[in-house]
Structures are given as structure tokens and as C-alpha cells.
Amino acid sequence: MDLQSIIENYGYAAILIGTFLEGETILVLAGLAAHQGYLVLSWVILAAFVGSLCGDQLFFIWDANTVRRYCPGALPGSRKRKKFTK
């Protein structure tokens, strides 16, 4: 197997996983592969969109739950308001 066949066989999965984890560098390399004709640009865009969306949502939920668990007063609206008495 040469590099061209590896890119053609596993390129879209690599884009999906790469954009899920990191993003920009993988996307630049995927654009280069699409420009060279190894991948189809529309599928590159779709794989990058799905990977980025899933990764962003997972990390957002993970961070929000971590903050609620370890720093309960850090989120807006999470503190109980003290009632002022006259």
C-alpha cells in the first residue's frame, strides 16, 4: 500500500477523527488532499463538519459537568441569593 491508496481508503475517517480531536491542521491537510484529487471536497466538508460538531458538543457537555461537580459556584445562576433583611 502506498500513501495515495491509504489516503483514498481511510482519508474520510481520518478527517472525522482528526476534526473531532483537534481540527485545523487536519482540515488543511484534507483540503490539500482534495485539491490533489485524492478526496472529494464535498465529502471532506461533510466529514469535517460532523467531526467538529460532535467533538464540540461532547467537550462542552463534559466541561459543563466538570465545572458543576468541582466548582459549583462558578456558573451563573448557581449561587443562592442571600435575602437582605432590614
Side-chain angles (χ1 to χ4, degrees):
M1 282 186 116
D2 59 341
L3 184 60
Q4 180 180 355
S5 63
I6 291 172
I7 292 172
E8 289 172 353
N9 291 331
Y10 304 109
Y12 301 113
I15 294 167
L16 188 80
I17 294 168
T19 55
F20 181 85
L21 297 174
E22 195 273 322
E24 292 82 13
T25 306
I26 298 298
L27 196 53
V28 169
L29 294 174
L32 180 65
H35 178 71
Q36 296 291 328
Y38 299 132
L39 301 173
V40 178
L41 183 61
S42 59
W43 288 106
V44 168
I45 293 170
L46 181 65
F49 173 74
V50 170
S52 296
L53 181 70
C54 292
D56 289 345
Q57 293 300 312
L58 177 73
F59 292 133
F60 175 79
I61 292 168
W62 181 23
D63 288 342
N65 288 333
T66 303
V67 167
R68 282 190 191 106
R69 184 178 306 137
Y70 296 113
C71 303
L75 295 175
S78 61
R79 297 180 186 171
K80 291 184 179 179
R81 295 185 179 193
K82 295 180 181 179
K83 293 184 179 179
F84 293 104
T85 58
K86 291 185 180 182

